[in-house]
Amino acid sequence: MQLDHRAQTLLKALVERYIADGQPVGSRALSKLSGLELSPATIRNVMADLEDMGFVASPHTSAGRVPTPRGYRVFVDTLLTVGPIDDKAVDAERMRLPQPLSNPQPQKLIANAAQMLSSLSQFAGVVQSPRRESVFQQIEFLRLGEKRILLVIVDPRGDVQNRLLLLDQDYSPAQLTQSANYLNQNFAGLSFDAVRKRLSGELQQLRDDMGRLMQAAVEAGSEAMAEGDDMVISGERNLLSVADLSSNMTSLRQMFEMFEQKTGLMQLLDVSSKAGGVQIFIGGESKLVPMDEMSIVTAPYAVDGRIVGTLGVIGPTRMAYERVIPIVDITAKLLSNALSHS
């Protein structure tokens, strides 16, 4: 819905004032803040129109108005001016971190990025761990005992995953070596999904017991690789000091259920990685955000030019977006560069 210049200016002034002090904004304050030479009656009429269109709302206890999620969306999409973040502030935060973003260990980099997001924004920082490709370079079987086999998976980066197989029959060391050699010689470098499809057509040529072992290995290997999808969250306690998010027990319960279960947050980060660039999810308008009073600002990060995960800041809908957006954007670029050179 198109808003004329006058309505845009008043909406922008209202949102900025409300973000600053959290109090409903009246017509007299808007007259001063907007810089428009309008009578109080004209401002009230424009506000009434904005309320009818769903961009602002009137709390029962005040004559002033507050932005709605729809009003925030118009603000961040069309009215917000985002300036560059102070380089000195970023450098200062990087130096304050226990391990700046120069650690060669990917998991340390992920944890440090989450801490950096939290420290700079004063809200919660979240970083989705890089998605591990479901590809193996080498497989080995180690016999631990009767019907108990340790599956060892080495991915193309040299990372190792182990999985215990509890089988319905015993296998000799020679059988284990033969099965591992068959998988490595024929399927190394492929995803477990691709191996599963190709194996289904070749099982007729294999002995039944060897086929069952390979099927069990493929299923377990696929599960082991999928377990690498996780996230690191830093600064959840910061949100306890945000009145908009911790004002009642229902809000607190929703917030900590989100952090504990992580499923919805993972889904949101997945959606963000596919969209590309900085994304803003505003509670109340996005089914992915569990609370009306919460917003999440995200950006994908990459390794050698390929997007492998998403990071972001979780905070109140009433956040200073012009400050948080560049924090998220710069951290994504720093993490991408660090991981690409680790």
Side-chain angles (χ1 to χ4, degrees), residues 2 17 29 51 54 66 82 84 93 95 126 156 158 175 184 186 189 217 234 255 257 281 288 294 304 312 324 326 330:
Q2 293 293 322
R17 179 59 177 265
E51 188 166 356
V66 300
V82 179
E93 289 298 328
M95 293 301 292
V126 58
Q175 288 176 311
N184 292 330
N186 292 281
S234 178
M255 184 167 65
E257 281 179 357
F281 298 88
L288 296 174
M294 177 180 287
D304 298 327
V324 174
I330 287 174

Side-chain angles (χ1 to χ4, degrees), residues 48-267:
D49 291 340
L50 289 174
E51 188 166 356
D52 290 340
M53 290 185 283
F55 297 121
V56 299
S58 300
H60 297 299
T61 58
S62 170
R65 290 177 170 85
V66 300
T68 64
R70 192 178 185 190
Y72 278 118
R73 174 52 61 191
V74 172
F75 174 74
V76 299
D77 285 350
T78 62
L79 306 177
L80 180 65
T81 301
V82 179
I85 190 172
D86 187 351
D87 290 341
K88 291 182 179 179
V90 176
D91 290 340
E93 289 298 328
R94 292 180 67 186
M95 293 301 292
R96 272 203 316 131
L97 293 176
Q99 302 259 359
L101 287 182
S102 59
N103 194 296
Q105 300 178 23
Q107 280 308 116
K108 286 288 188 181
L109 288 170
I110 298 298
N112 293 339
Q115 187 177 355
M116 183 174 177
L117 287 166
S118 173
S119 184
L120 282 169
S121 69
Q122 292 301 299
F123 298 131
V126 58
V127 183
Q128 181 185 34
S129 297
R131 287 191 168 277
R132 181 182 286 115
E133 289 188 81
S134 183
V135 174
F136 75 91
Q137 194 63 38
Q138 184 177 353
I139 278 180
E140 298 295 337
F141 294 111
L142 298 177
R143 188 176 185 275
L144 300 179
E146 186 176 356
K147 301 180 182 179
R148 296 174 70 246
I149 305 296
L150 182 67
L151 171 66
V152 182
I153 308 161
V154 183
D155 71 13
R157 293 174 64 100
D159 294 333
V160 178
Q161 292 282 312
N162 297 322
R163 198 78 170 187
L164 179 63
L165 303 181
L166 301 176
L167 305 169
D168 56 5
Q169 70 179 83
D170 198 16
Y171 290 89
S172 68
Q175 288 176 311
L176 297 180
T177 300
Q178 182 182 351
S179 298
N181 289 342
Y182 184 89
L183 290 171
N184 292 330
Q185 291 169 6
N186 292 281
F187 304 118
L190 298 179
S191 70
F192 281 105
D193 286 339
V195 176
R196 184 187 295 110
K197 293 175 183 177
R198 287 182 53 177
L199 261 183
S200 63
E202 298 181 17
L203 287 180
Q204 299 298 326
Q205 304 171 21
L206 301 170
R207 290 169 47 192
D208 288 343
D209 52 355
M210 304 292 281
R212 284 195 295 269
L213 173 61
M214 292 183 194
Q215 281 185 312
V218 170
E219 295 299 329
S222 183
E223 291 177 6
M225 301 299 264
E227 286 178 356
D229 292 341
D230 202 354
M231 68 179 69
V232 176
I233 303 174
S234 178
E236 303 101 306
R237 287 183 175 273
N238 290 341
L239 302 182
L240 292 176
S241 62
V242 178
D244 295 3
L245 298 177
S246 60
S247 56
N248 59 66
M249 289 304 298
T250 300
S251 296
L252 279 175
R253 186 170 59 252
Q254 288 178 319
M255 184 167 65
F256 281 98
E257 281 179 357
M258 180 189 72
F259 288 132
E260 183 178 351
Q261 296 177 0
K262 294 187 179 181
T263 305
L265 197 50
M266 282 293 290
Q267 183 183 1

